[in-house]
């Protein structure tokens, strides 16, 4: 049997957030067994926290269909679980992932921040790629459609209003085919919110990886903050909400350190809470 904790990351007031499975230890599990556990849990990702000879922990991430190199919300869920189980005794940790060695910071109020790679601004795409995927008339043409990465390639899709963002009706099969062709994980649709402490409301679609829509996406939020830093406003913090359409509102914080218009480092963070534990046969 293997114990799997269920935790929600990027929660707002201990509600909502994005759920992930968390397995501690169990280095003897094979990739096939890990994938089967992730499929059984049914969350967009399940994370396996393992020993590392390069960092404090090694983290592996599995969707219901395959392994992915990095997952922000599953990382937050893992460290929220470790903290709630009193398994953390310092404010800073390193993690080994397939995307590299990253830093994790645990704040006194239990905010967990995860360092990501500095941004790579990749291809700018024509809106025609969304023909048949979503309502093209909802696209905000003041901003480019661009692939941005702070660890994973995501397509930033600006939408012209919160109402249109809510009304987006994706064709997931076409989005899966399009993102595969563009070598991207998914589409991160957003609309800016003015006169609020929330910078933007977002929706994320990654059907290529078996995730039609998820309620919080840390890596894509980091990419979006860097995108907004380049095309909208340069500021030290961006706050995003995601999951409104799913009834699981998440709040995601991205902090950026920069000088002279250049990003030095970027961190995505949020709060997490425990949902329970279950045991599965392996």
């Amino acid at each position: 049997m293997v114990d799997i904790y269920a935790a929600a990351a990027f929660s707002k007031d201990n509600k909502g957030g994005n759920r992930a499975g968390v397995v501690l230890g169990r280095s003897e599990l094979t990739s096939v067994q890990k994938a089967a556990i992730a499929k059984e849990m049914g969350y967009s990702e399940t994370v396996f926290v393992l020993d590392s000879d390069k960092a404090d922990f090694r983290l592996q991430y599995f969707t219901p269909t395959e392994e992915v190199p990095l997952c922000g919300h599953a990382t937050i869920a893992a460290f929220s679980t470790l903290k709630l189980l009193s398994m953390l005794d310092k404010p800073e940790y390193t993690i080994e992932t397939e995307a590299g060695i990253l830093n994790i910071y645990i704040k006194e109020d239990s905010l967990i921040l995860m360092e990501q790679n500095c941004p790579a601004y990749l291809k700018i795409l024509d809106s025609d790629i969304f023909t048949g995927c979503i309502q093209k008339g909802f696209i905000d043409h003041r901003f480019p459609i661009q692939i941005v990465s702070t660890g994973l390639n995501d397509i930033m899709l600006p939408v012209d209003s919160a109402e249109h963002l809510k009304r987006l009706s994706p064709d997931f099969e076409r989005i899966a085919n399009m993102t595969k062709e563009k070598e991207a994980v998914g589409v991160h649709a957003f609309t800016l919110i003015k006169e609020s402490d929330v910078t933007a409301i977002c929706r994320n679609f990654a059907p290529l990886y078996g995730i039609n829509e998820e309620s919080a996406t840390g890596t894509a939020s980091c990419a979006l903050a860097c995108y907004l830093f380049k095309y909208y406003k340069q500021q030290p913090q961006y706050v995003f909400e995601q999951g409104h359409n799913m009834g699981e509102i998440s709040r995601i914080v991205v902090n950026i350190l920069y000088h002279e218009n250049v990003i030095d480092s970027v961190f995505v963070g949020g709060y997490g809470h425990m949902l329970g534990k279950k045991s599965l046969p392996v």
Side-chain angles (χ1 to χ4, degrees):
M1 301 292 288
V2 59
D3 291 334
I4 306 104
Y5 294 92
F10 301 122
S11 55
K12 183 179 180 182
D13 301 323
N14 280 331
K15 298 178 182 178
N18 194 359
R19 299 181 179 191
V22 179
V23 178
L24 305 178
R26 304 306 300 265
S27 59
E28 81 282 4
L29 295 173
T30 67
S31 293
V32 171
Q33 289 173 316
K34 291 171 185 173
I37 290 168
K39 184 175 182 180
E40 179 67 25
M41 290 300 290
Y43 299 140
S44 56
E45 274 91 6
T46 291
V47 57
F48 295 81
V49 182
L50 306 166
D51 291 336
S52 170
D53 57 6
K54 300 177 181 177
D56 291 305
F57 300 101
R58 180 164 68 95
L59 271 60
Q60 284 186 293
Y61 310 90
F62 284 79
T63 76
T65 59
E66 61 189 294
E67 185 177 0
V68 294
L70 185 66
C71 175
H73 88 267
T75 304
I76 303 299
F79 274 85
S80 295
T81 300
L82 290 167
K83 183 170 178 59
L84 289 168
L85 294 175
S86 300
M87 297 175 69
L88 301 177
D89 58 7
K90 59 182 183 177
E92 181 177 344
Y93 290 84
T94 55
I95 59 171
E96 175 190 353
T97 75
E98 291 298 320
I101 304 290
L102 302 174
N103 292 320
I104 304 291
Y105 298 92
I106 316 295
K107 299 298 184 181
E108 290 185 3
D109 65 350
S110 296
L111 174 71
I112 296 170
L113 291 167
M114 169 186 175
E115 184 179 19
Q116 299 227 295
N117 298 328
C118 285
Y121 300 98
L122 306 173
K123 292 179 182 177
I124 292 179
L125 306 174
D126 192 279
S127 61
D128 285 345
I129 67 166
F130 284 98
T131 301
C133 293
I134 54 104
Q135 299 95 313
K136 285 174 55 181
F138 292 175
I139 295 174
D140 187 346
H141 293 285
R142 295 177 302 163
F143 301 99
I145 299 168
Q146 186 170 20
I147 300 174
V148 182
S149 174
T150 57
L152 299 175
N153 293 355
D154 279 288
I155 299 172
M156 300 296 111
L157 177 65
V159 176
D160 59 13
S161 71
E163 178 61 27
H164 282 169
L165 183 73
K166 180 179 179 180
R167 287 170 51 195
L168 281 182
S169 52
D171 184 315
F172 294 119
E173 183 177 355
R174 291 190 177 188
I175 287 180
N177 292 334
M178 182 271 288
T179 50
K180 183 177 182 180
E181 178 187 340
K182 300 302 179 183
E183 298 181 341
V185 171
V187 174
H188 201 62
F190 71 92
T191 190
L192 295 170
I193 304 297
K194 295 184 177 179
E195 299 177 1
S196 168
D197 65 333
V198 176
T199 311
I201 296 175
C202 311
R203 296 179 69 184
N204 187 274
F205 313 114
L208 180 62
Y209 288 88
I211 309 165
N212 284 345
E213 181 168 3
E214 67 176 350
S215 56
T217 316
T219 48
S221 295
C222 243
L224 175 58
C226 295
Y227 170 101
L228 294 176
F229 181 91
K230 182 177 178 68
Y231 295 112
Y232 179 54
K233 286 182 181 178
Q234 294 185 1
Q235 54 196 50
Q237 185 175 87
Y238 300 81
V239 178
F240 304 121
E241 285 194 355
Q242 191 177 325
H244 286 256
N245 281 57
M246 305 175 71
E248 297 284 356
I249 299 176
S250 304
R251 193 175 183 91
I252 304 161
V253 176
V254 180
N255 290 346
I256 289 180
L257 299 179
Y258 63 95
H259 76 284
E260 296 181 355
N261 306 321
V262 176
I263 294 175
D264 296 315
S265 54
V266 56
F267 305 84
V268 62
Y271 297 92
H273 64 280
M274 186 84 75
L275 301 169
K277 183 175 77 170
K278 68 185 298 184
S279 297
L280 293 175
V282 292

